[in-house]
Amino acid sequence: MANINRTTGKALRAHVAGAGFAGLTAAIALRQNGWDVTLHEKDSELRAFGAGIYLWHNGLRVLEGIDALNDVLHGTHTPPAYETWMHNKSVSKETFNGLPWRIMTRSHLHNALVKRAHAVGVTVRTNSEAVSAEADGRLTLQSGEVLEADLIVGADGVGSKVRDSLGFKQDRWVSTDGIIRLIVPRMKDKLGDEAEWDNTIDMWNLEPRVQRILYSPCNKEELYLGLMAPAADPRGSKVPLDLEVWVEMFPFLEPCLAEAAKLEAARYDKYATTKLDSWVKGKVALVGDSAHAMCPALAQGAGCAMVNAFSLAQDLAEQSSVEDALVSWERRIRPLTDHTQALSGEYAANRSLSKGNMFTNEALEAARYDPIKRVYSWPQ
Ligand code: FAD
Ligand code: 5PR
């Protein structure tokens, strides 16, 4: 098939709304394929929200494809095992057959993507909020400015205005459990010898209350803590966190929890899911949480977003019209995201990860996908 940019003789133009992991990846991948790209961020600066993040083989391959992997790997961590505890007893230690995975802070990943976006020549506009888009390739900003392009990418997150302005049919719901996510100092030397503190440890307690801590080392200095409790539990969901109620259940983490309790800006978030009838309308494509926000159980929301953004640039390079490329992109790439979203939702609703050994071949399907070779390449 003809490459759009080669057949028209001049670079095509894309406007990408939202500079999260999805928008940054889309902008870089399109720019690498010869597009003129402007990335619009409503905030006054480019920054990451949230605490830590897991990336698996699929997301790491995207980073390789956009030449950001080496930068990202430096200062991040792959734990020796993903351990699960129930009532403080280890029930499983998973190593995924050697499948690559990595934990990092969100700001680390975001900074590397921003650096790469600048290096490849993406034009970045901050304080630039998208309010609506049209299927014929127009993007309207809060300022009143109307921009025309060959492609509009709506990567403006779970509350997407680009999506809502186009009238996609959608189902949205939030879960009954939620989580407080924080980065605290590791303090490995203060934690005693109850555990191998370089592991991920998913510490579940269902009795006497449902309280869980996902302990995730990001590097030598930083620890990502996810503190989960039902939204109906006023003490478990309180921010800044209720130190007493967490230390009572997890006394061996007291030094880290004491640091966590000092963080005034902590938030408790419920999991949101968004499911659309379509991700595409004419020259507009939705990527990331705007299209498919999912429960975090399989830690694949950003991974799928990055794969989809990268794959969009691939399909646009192989088709002769933008509209056709978007339709075949959704057809090709969406089933894997739908499946991951459904299984993640099921795991979250049933608290399935508490059983241990839940990273089955099916659960790791998205992780095993290789977006560069377009095959499931793991185990090799
Ligand atoms: P966002 O990160 O929401 O980015 C949207 C960007 O657009 C923001 O910068 C925002 O300011 C900007 N914006 C918003 N509106 C506009 C507008 N109108 N105009 C211009 N700009 C706008 N995924 C993983 O892969 N691994 C994990 O370990 C993982 N853990 C998670 C844990 C929890 C508790 C949750 C809730 C999610 C987790 N996820 C994880 C999912 C992941 O965080 C999201 O899927 C991912 O961040 C979505 O990226 P995004 O770029 O689509 O959206
Ligand atoms: N995995 C990860 C995660 O951040 C969460 C969950 C699973 C990496 C939430 O913080 O099950 O909620 C989960």
Side-chain angles (χ1 to χ4, degrees):
M1 289 265 185
N3 177 317
I4 298 166
N5 291 322
R6 272 187 238 122
T7 51
T8 58
K10 71 176 178 63
L12 297 186
R13 172 169 299 280
H15 286 288
V16 179
F21 300 130
L24 281 162
T25 305
I28 297 165
L30 288 165
R31 182 75 198 114
Q32 282 191 166
N33 284 3
W35 287 71
D36 267 344
V37 184
T38 306
L39 179 59
H40 300 266
E41 169 55 49
K42 77 167 179 192
D43 225 333
S44 57
E45 54 184 320
L46 299 187
R47 63 175 162 211
F49 285 93
I53 189 154
Y54 286 54
L55 285 186
W56 304 80
H57 165 256
N58 58 330
L60 296 170
R61 284 290 277 170
V62 171
L63 292 175
E64 207 174 333
I66 60 171
D67 248 323
L69 183 63
N70 286 339
D71 232 20
V72 168
L73 290 184
H74 184 74
T76 65
H77 177 64
T78 301
Y82 188 117
E83 208 173 335
T84 302
W85 289 4
M86 175 54 84
H87 299 139
N88 300 336
K89 285 210 175 58
S90 184
V91 291
S92 68
K93 284 188 188 179
E94 295 171 86
T95 53
F96 319 122
N97 262 319
L99 177 81
W101 62 298
R102 204 93 185 154
I103 308 176
M104 61 203 73
T105 65
R106 285 181 180 248
S107 57
H108 180 84
L109 176 60
H110 199 264
N111 289 343
L113 291 173
V114 168
K115 186 172 150 200
R116 185 69 191 145
H118 286 306
V120 296
V122 170
T123 303
V124 176
R125 282 176 64 172
T126 50
N127 290 313
S128 185
E129 181 175 359
V131 289
S132 65
E134 309 277 345
D136 64 2
R138 272 175 296 163
L139 183 71
T140 303
L141 304 179
Q142 179 66 37
S143 62
E145 195 179 347
V146 181
L147 302 162
E148 283 181 33
D150 303 284
L151 170 71
I152 305 292
V153 177
D156 48 346
V158 67
S160 173
K161 292 196 169 167
V162 171
R163 175 196 62 213
D164 292 346
S165 71
L166 284 163
F168 289 98
K169 276 209 204 92
Q170 52 180 297
D171 273 346
R172 288 171 73 173
W173 62 93
V174 290
S175 57
T176 50
D177 287 344
I179 198 148
I180 304 165
R181 293 175 281 170
L182 306 155
I183 300 287
V184 295
R186 290 272 318 254
M187 297 189 290
K188 218 171 111 176
D189 53 328
K190 298 215 172 77
L191 293 184
D193 24 271
E194 294 91 343
E196 293 160 62
W197 296 114
D198 285 341
N199 284 346
T200 276
I201 314 179
D202 195 357
M203 305 165 174
W204 286 84
N205 288 274
L206 301 179
E207 307 285 340
R209 295 180 300 275
V210 176
Q211 258 176 275
R212 164 195 182 197
I213 293 186
L214 182 62
Y215 168 100
S216 312
C218 296
N219 51 45
K220 285 200 175 69
E221 289 84 36
E222 293 165 299
L223 172 67
Y224 165 36
L225 291 180
L227 298 94
M228 191 198 87
D233 171 358
R235 291 193 72 186
S237 58
K238 186 183 162 296
V239 283
L241 60 99
D242 181 333
L243 188 58
E244 197 183 67
V245 85
W246 288 100
V247 170
E248 190 186 339
M249 201 74 102
F250 303 95
F252 42 83
L253 284 183
E254 179 165 11
C256 298
L257 291 169
E259 290 297 318
K262 291 181 195 160
L263 300 173
E264 293 287 330
R267 275 188 356 201
Y268 175 85
D269 295 306
K270 286 204 258 179
Y271 309 150
T273 300
T274 318
K275 197 156 167 100
L276 305 187
D277 60 339
S278 165
W279 295 353
V280 164
K281 204 160 262 185
K283 294 182 176 176
V284 184
L286 302 177
V287 295
D289 279 5
S290 63
H292 53 69
M294 65 177 77
C295 289
L298 297 176
Q300 273 295 346
C304 286
M306 290 165 68
V307 164
N308 296 344
F310 181 77
S311 305
L312 177 66
Q314 283 176 328
D315 286 352
L316 283 160
E318 289 166 9
Q319 300 263 342
S320 51
S321 98
V322 169
E323 288 90 336
D324 291 349
L326 298 196
V327 169
S328 54
W329 163 72
E330 181 176 357
R331 195 178 307 132
R332 172 169 84 88
I333 214 70
R334 181 168 173 162
L336 182 56
T337 298
D338 281 347
H339 177 254
T340 308
Q341 184 188 48
L343 194 60
S344 245
E346 217 176 287
Y347 272 31
N350 300 318
R351 300 180 179 138
S352 307
L353 289 176
S354 67
K355 289 185 248 166
N357 284 320
M358 289 307 286
F359 286 93
T360 58
N361 224 26
E362 188 193 7
L364 290 173
E365 195 179 353
R368 285 186 286 115
Y369 184 64
D370 180 341
I372 297 176
K373 293 191 182 141
R374 311 182 198 190
V375 294
Y376 294 87
S377 68
W378 210 271
Q380 285 172 328

